[in-house]
Amino acid sequence: MDGDEVVIIGAGICGLATALALHKKGIKAVVMERSESLRNVTGAAIGIRPNGWRALDQLGVAEILRRTAISIQWQMKKRK
């Protein structure tokens, strides 16, 4: 690698978000992932809190996620 480059280990949500943020700042990043392919995990979900949405807004990807995401409303039942 030449110049200012960053190596990011893991192509999960955090690794890819970090790479995108660095790219927007003009910093080159290489993302390395151990897995050879994407895995489909049945029943998996990602919960994003308000601060997470603000970060995704800053990265410019929140709007497309809002259009494609499924909102899940969860309520706890009161104990008697």
Side-chain angles (χ1 to χ4, degrees), residues 2 9 11 20 22 26 29 31 34-35 37 44 50 52 64 69 71 76 79:
D2 57 341
I9 306 300
L20 180 57
L22 291 171
V31 180
R34 175 176 34 183
S35 180
S37 62
I64 193 166
S71 179
M76 269 181 76
R79 291 180 150 185

Side-chain angles (χ1 to χ4, degrees), residues 18-27 57-61:
T18 301
L20 180 57
L22 291 171
H23 173 74
K24 288 181 175 270
K25 294 289 186 180
I27 300 171
D57 277 323
Q58 291 293 314
L59 292 172
V61 297

Side-chain angles (χ1 to χ4, degrees), residues 25-74:
K25 294 289 186 180
I27 300 171
K28 295 178 184 178
V30 175
V31 180
M32 304 184 90
E33 173 59 49
R34 175 176 34 183
S35 180
E36 294 179 12
S37 62
L38 295 174
R39 294 180 302 268
N40 183 8
V41 180
T42 304
I46 298 171
I48 303 174
R49 309 286 272 178
N51 281 342
W53 283 111
R54 284 191 276 281
L56 293 170
D57 277 323
Q58 291 293 314
L59 292 172
V61 297
E63 191 53 40
I64 193 166
L65 291 174
R66 284 186 183 99
R67 288 193 305 261
T68 59
I70 298 171
S71 179
I72 299 173
Q73 299 297 321
W74 182 73

